Amino acid sequence: MLVRTKVNGEWREADVWPGSSLLFMLREHLGLPGSKNACEQGECGSCSVWLEGELVCACLVLAAQADDAEVRTVEALGHDGELHPVQEAFVEAGAVQCGFCTPGLIVAVTDLLEHDPHPDDAVVREALSGNLCRCTGYQKILDAVRLAAEWMGDGRGGSPA
Ligand code: FES
Ligand code: FES
């Protein structure tokens, strides 16, 4: 089936098997491998993207559900070779080890800070509870969120629609 989706501001088409996930369409048909495929069961958050502005696990969404809809992925966050402040904060805080969870966390943290620019630790933990990381022990991820909130609060930039 043909799926037509606005991805990161550009209308794209993909001829997918009707049972394909949005994650498979993004990675295998549209050349956007930023969203990672770890569990394919909605457990790890590594495939997090926005569908119509809502954070979803792309492995749990059918590609067909994204037909005529708007999707935003981690690839939309950096611009002209510049990292998004959340990406920069992860680097600065040392919150990236193997990196497999990182794109999903970057998306989830960006979503959180777009809705709540100054979350307390409990809110951050709750917001990121669906994103699993096997490497960092999470402390540096919390440090990165604090740093990103500080930078974005200083007007260092948010993300485009
Ligand atoms: S790959 Fe989608 S939640 Fe793990
Ligand atoms: S950095 Fe390896 S899973 Fe998070």
Side-chain angles (χ1 to χ4, degrees):
M1 65 178 292
L2 198 63
V3 174
R4 188 167 176 271
T5 303
K6 193 173 190 180
V7 183
N8 300 335
E10 191 187 333
W11 283 102
R12 306 280 306 271
E13 282 185 355
D15 191 4
V16 302
W17 173 63
S20 286
S21 68
L22 172 59
L23 180 61
F24 189 87
M25 181 176 91
L26 290 170
R27 291 178 55 87
E28 308 299 333
H29 289 267
L30 301 182
L32 293 167
S35 312
K36 298 297 178 232
N37 179 355
C39 72
E40 281 192 289
Q41 295 180 8
E43 299 286 346
C44 73
S46 67
C47 61
S48 301
V49 300
W50 290 272
L51 174 64
E52 295 288 79
E54 293 292 323
L55 200 59
V56 296
C57 291
C59 70
L60 293 184
V61 174
L62 287 173
Q65 291 173 263
D67 188 44
D68 201 29
E70 198 158 337
V71 170
R72 181 177 163 219
T73 72
V74 69
E75 282 91 349
L77 297 180
H79 283 287
D80 300 328
E82 297 271 320
L83 294 178
H84 183 279
V86 173
Q87 293 171 313
E88 221 176 307
F90 268 66
V91 174
E92 181 77 14
V96 182
Q97 288 190 28
C98 81
F100 213 80
C101 67
T102 308
L105 274 160
I106 298 285
V107 167
V109 172
T110 302
D111 184 73
L112 169 65
L113 296 180
E114 285 176 353
H115 290 96
D116 182 355
H118 304 292
D120 63 27
D121 279 359
V123 170
V124 173
R125 284 174 193 276
E126 175 62 27
L128 302 186
S129 60
N131 292 79
L132 302 184
C133 173
R134 292 175 304 176
C135 307
T136 64
Y138 298 100
Q139 188 53 52
K140 287 178 188 246
I141 291 170
L142 294 177
D143 294 345
V145 178
R146 271 187 225 108
L147 195 55
E150 201 180 299
W151 286 347
M152 289 168 75
D154 287 348
R156 200 157 156 175
S159 56

